[in-house]
Structure formats: C-alpha cells, structure tokens
Amino acid sequence: SELIFGRDTGVTVKFDPDRDDLVGRQHAKITKDPNDPNGFLLTDLNSTNGTFLNKSRVTGTVRVNPGDAVQFGPG
C-alpha cells in the first residue's frame, strides 16, 4: 500500500547512496489514494532537492496519473 523511495537501507525502492546523491535518505513516497481504489498519491518527505511531477516541484501530496513523470532532485 506504500512505496518509499530513497537511499536509506529501510526504504522500499533504494537508490545508490554514492551515485544518486540528489536523492534523500527517505525522499518521497507513493501511496494508494484512500478516496479512489485505482488512484495513487505522491508525497515529498521534506527532501532537500525536491520531488517533481511532470517537471513541477511537489509540495505536500499530489495525485499521480498514468503516464506522469516522477523525478527525485532537479537533475
């Protein structure tokens, strides 16, 4: 029901701690939308370098749709 992205050893989707230095230890998460069983939500976990959805910086939680591009950090 939840995917956590980052460089920390306890996250669901782990990035390389040496190569992916723009990704935080616990950078962002994707969860099921409680109001829509077929929907998903993206939340930035107060990352320093930001989480982007379709090149727009995420603040708080936003809905993710099929075909959307999620990016961790500005590069």
Side-chain angles (χ1 to χ4, degrees):
S1 65
E2 175 178 88
L3 294 174
I4 298 177
F5 299 83
R7 294 181 293 127
D8 193 59
T9 56
V11 299
T12 316
V13 180
K14 189 172 186 295
F15 285 78
D16 186 300
D18 298 321
R19 290 188 353 201
D20 299 315
D21 58 349
L22 293 179
V23 178
R25 288 187 310 261
Q26 291 190 6
H27 195 100
K29 69 178 177 179
I30 293 181
T31 56
K32 288 184 177 184
D33 185 340
N35 300 317
D36 178 2
N38 296 315
F40 294 92
L41 302 173
L42 171 66
T43 304
D44 180 73
L45 299 176
N46 298 315
S47 65
T48 301
N49 295 308
T51 300
F52 297 81
L53 181 66
N54 300 322
K55 299 187 179 181
S56 295
R57 191 167 185 151
V58 171
T59 19
T61 298
V62 296
R63 183 174 173 82
V64 179
N65 296 303
D68 282 346
V70 176
Q71 180 180 327
F72 305 117

